[in-house]
Amino acid sequence: MNTASPPAVVAEGLAFSYASGGGLTRADLTLGAGETAAVEGPSGSGKSTLLALLGLILSPDAGALRIAGTETGALSPAERDHLRRRSIGIVLQDLGLLPFLNAWENVAAAFGPRLARHRGAARELLGDLGMADLVDSPVTELSGGQRQRIAVARAAVKQPVLILADEPTSGLDPRTANAVLDALRSCAERGSAVLLVTHDAAVAEACDRRHVLDEGVLSAAPQANVFEEDRG
Ligand SMILES: Nc1ncnc2c1ncn2[C@@H]1O[C@H](COP(=O)(O)OP(=O)(O)OP(=O)(O)O)[C@@H](O)[C@H]1O
Ligand SMILES: [Mg+2]
């Protein structure tokens, strides 16, 4: 039928409200294989909510969401879980590492319970992220930035159709932030679509596209040079 692969994600009029009233008012977004996109916006504007919707963690109140060509609206909970496991890697804002596993085991856990089978891939990717000496460390003994890199490796190791990352470089020194960004970009070069939330203009600048989320509404970032005012 269709030989070209469908976009990794197509969201149309996506909306979600928490009982408290906050959430996401409207998001329209298409992201193709190999593309990187940034979402910027103030605290509370709905960035993490958008990622949870795109990651099939939350179900939208309105709108349509296709992941890798699959219309998600009609899926059962089990089918949503299956699609998420098969197609999506997520770096959550609070990382969600498993404290009883070491660094490489946390990465290999992306594949399921047979950790040893994926030992090589997990250790190699951690090495690419500057963590070669720490692959066997318990995650409870690692720094915030080191744990962040493990979470990125776990999201990326299966080379999923879609990688969602919530502030994956926050709190990292510039060199480590660059290593994380390079890892995400090389995932895109291998065909993943990468959407990341960031407060770092340099990180957003390095993405193919920039979006802004303001009071729950997602739009393309203005093209104007945001550094203009610095030149005075
Ligand atoms: N579990 C929840 N229950 C109720 N309200 C929530 C919940 N999570 C988020 N909200 C509200 O929804 C809105 C969007 O929150 P969200 O976490 O998506 O923002 P954000 O843009 O990721 O912010 P930050 O930059 O601080 O991470 C906020 O007003 C927040 O208070
Ligand atoms: Mg957030």
Side-chain angles (χ1 to χ4, degrees), residues 48-168:
S48 294
T49 304
L50 172 65
L51 253 54
L53 289 164
L54 299 178
L56 306 178
I57 294 166
L58 291 173
S59 294
D61 298 331
L65 175 63
R66 275 196 304 285
I67 301 288
T70 300
E71 191 63 62
T72 62
L75 298 180
S76 68
E79 289 167 332
R80 286 170 65 85
D81 283 348
H82 184 249
L83 180 60
R84 183 190 321 106
R85 278 201 304 271
R86 195 183 57 209
S87 305
I88 306 175
I90 309 180
V91 184
L92 294 172
Q93 202 165 4
D94 67 2
L95 306 185
L97 299 180
L98 300 168
F100 46 86
L101 298 179
N102 70 24
W104 77 261
E105 289 167 337
N106 261 281
V107 177
F111 291 96
R114 294 193 167 121
L115 304 178
R117 282 190 186 183
H118 306 286
R119 186 173 183 274
R123 294 171 76 93
E124 188 182 333
L125 185 50
L126 284 170
D128 291 346
L129 286 168
M131 294 275 295
D133 296 341
L134 298 170
V135 286
D136 296 312
S137 300
V139 292
T140 48
E141 293 174 15
L142 296 175
S143 74
Q146 291 161 348
R147 294 158 64 101
Q148 218 151 342
R149 281 178 276 169
I150 296 169
V152 169
R154 184 183 55 187
V157 70
K158 284 166 83 173
Q159 298 187 18
V161 169
L162 176 62
I163 296 176
L164 303 167
D166 207 341
E167 304 193 29

Side-chain angles (χ1 to χ4, degrees), residues 1-69:
M1 242 172 45
N2 193 350
T3 48
S5 56
V9 53
V10 180
E12 288 165 347
L14 220 51
F16 178 85
S17 290
Y18 296 103
S20 64
L24 184 74
T25 309
R26 183 175 182 103
D28 296 278
L29 175 83
T30 300
L31 201 55
E35 278 191 298
T36 55
V39 176
E40 300 165 273
S43 181
S45 59
K47 304 181 300 294
S48 294
T49 304
L50 172 65
L51 253 54
L53 289 164
L54 299 178
L56 306 178
I57 294 166
L58 291 173
S59 294
D61 298 331
L65 175 63
R66 275 196 304 285
I67 301 288

